[in-house]
Amino acid sequence: MDVKEVVKDKYGKAALQVVGGGSASCCASGCCDPITSDLYDEREKLGLPETALLASLGCGNPTALAQLNPGETVLDLGSGGGIDVFLSAKRVGPTGKAYGLDMTDEMLALARENQRKSGIENVEFLKGEIENIPLPDNSVDVIISNCVINLSADKGRVLAEAFRVLKPGGRFAVSDVVVRGVVPPDIRRNVELWVGCVAGALSEEDYRGKLRAAGFVGIDVEPTRIYRAEDARQFLSAEGVEVDAILPAIEGKFMSAFIRARKP
Ligand SMILES: C[S@@+](CC[C@H](N)C(=O)[O-])C[C@H]1O[C@@H](n2cnc3c(N)ncnc32)[C@H](O)[C@@H]1O
């Protein structure tokens, strides 16, 4: 299976788990993971369907950190169960619009059902790939995304597509996993699997470089949650990794970050 098929399979199953009354990240059953838990405050969650909250699989809260104004058009890359699309739709109000884009049928079905339950009208879920965004050039004010770009095998293409659909002056405001500093490749791969980065996370320098190459300016990378090696101990041990030996090599190097940039 190629990366896309692995990702579709994984998130298709996660969506069905929510439809079946479970949680996509299994927090409800008590195995809260340090990446997806506690990203949204109680006030934000008010009025959203339970199944939108249970489907949350992000690693940040881009809508809370992004500047969103009434009347604007927002696009969420890899919208999953739709939580960030609904939060954006509330912020841009009835004169604005929030699009969610996802390639996994089960996630789209869940997101559309969540929209029906929430009654939020200024939302539209599109089927497609973030490497080929099905929207015209210069049509979006703000691009958000929550822990999805690290899943793409062609991140440069995703950023070029984001640039294309943004209007001049449009903002890129994305949460993603980023690696800081040097981590030996085999260790890096194991930790990335723990964080769920099937296609590998970018280093901060690579992220900045790819954003610049796509044409973005005003680039900023702000850590929002730094992962502790201890949190990954159980997963890494099960993979046969000698955790104590690699702790110094990974401590403080994997993080969720809020990445901002602007189309000139
Ligand atoms: C980690 S989940 C995040 C979902 C959502 N952003 C959230 O915060 O809950 C990743 C989502 O991105 C979608 N996805 C991953 N790669 C994609 C791609 N290349 N094109 C479109 N959707 C993709 C998956 O189907 C899944 O719904």
Side-chain angles (χ1 to χ4, degrees):
M1 270 203 273
D2 72 2
V3 171
K4 262 191 191 133
E5 292 311 310
V6 172
V7 170
K8 271 189 199 164
D9 185 60
K10 173 172 171 177
Y11 291 105
K13 285 181 181 142
L16 293 177
Q17 207 163 311
V18 174
V19 173
S23 154
S25 67
C26 80
C27 265
S29 57
C31 50
C32 272
D33 74 79
I35 299 150
T36 59
S37 56
D38 301 327
L39 296 173
Y40 301 93
D41 69 32
E42 293 308 316
R43 203 172 27 89
E44 287 175 301
K45 293 188 211 169
L46 275 179
L48 294 184
E50 183 70 5
T51 43
L53 306 176
L54 289 172
S56 164
L57 280 166
C59 57
N61 185 345
T63 307
L65 296 169
Q67 183 201 334
L68 297 178
N69 304 313
E72 287 188 321
T73 300
V74 181
L75 167 65
D76 182 12
L77 301 180
S79 42
I83 185 161
D84 297 315
V85 182
F86 301 128
L87 293 175
S88 300
K90 286 189 190 180
R91 295 266 303 278
V92 298
T95 56
K97 176 145 188 179
Y99 288 103
L101 173 64
D102 208 288
M103 66 177 180
T104 306
D105 287 321
E106 294 87 340
M107 273 298 181
L108 284 165
L110 175 61
R112 288 176 179 140
E113 177 60 14
N114 285 336
Q115 181 183 0
R116 196 190 59 73
K117 285 185 197 157
S118 70
I120 300 176
E121 285 179 358
N122 56 334
V123 156
E124 188 176 339
F125 290 99
L126 307 170
K127 178 166 178 171
E129 297 181 351
I130 61 176
E131 296 83 359
N132 291 293
I133 299 175
L135 285 175
D137 299 0
N138 307 320
S139 59
V140 170
D141 294 291
V142 183
I143 292 223
I144 61 163
S145 184
N146 200 346
C147 233
V148 180
I149 296 176
N150 67 69
L151 297 170
S152 174
D154 194 348
K155 298 172 176 67
R157 166 114 197 171
V158 175
L159 300 181
E161 277 291 274
F163 189 85
R164 178 184 66 77
V165 300
L166 278 174
K167 298 176 187 171
R171 283 104 67 201
F172 179 88
V174 160
S175 293
D176 210 347
V177 175
V178 171
V179 185
R180 254 189 187 168
V182 179
V183 183
D186 51 331
I187 297 177
R188 181 176 170 140
R189 188 76 203 123
N190 274 308
V191 179
E192 282 171 347
L193 288 176
W194 170 65
V195 190
C197 302
V198 181
L202 288 177
S203 70
E204 183 178 342
E205 287 68 39
D206 284 347
Y207 223 124
R208 287 176 182 274
K210 285 188 191 304
L211 281 165
R212 265 195 304 272
F216 283 101
V217 296
I219 300 164
D220 185 47
V221 178
E222 176 193 336
T224 50
R225 197 175 272 194
I226 297 175
Y227 301 119
R228 293 170 41 237
E230 204 48 52
D231 295 330
R233 179 178 287 279
Q234 204 184 347
F235 176 92
L236 293 174
S237 299
E239 294 291 304
V241 176
E242 189 66 66
V243 178
D244 287 318
I246 64 157
L247 280 185
I250 58 175
E251 194 60 54
K253 295 197 171 150
F254 291 82
M255 62 190 71
S256 293
F258 184 60
I259 299 139
R260 291 171 221 264
R262 188 167 40 80
K263 178 168 172 173

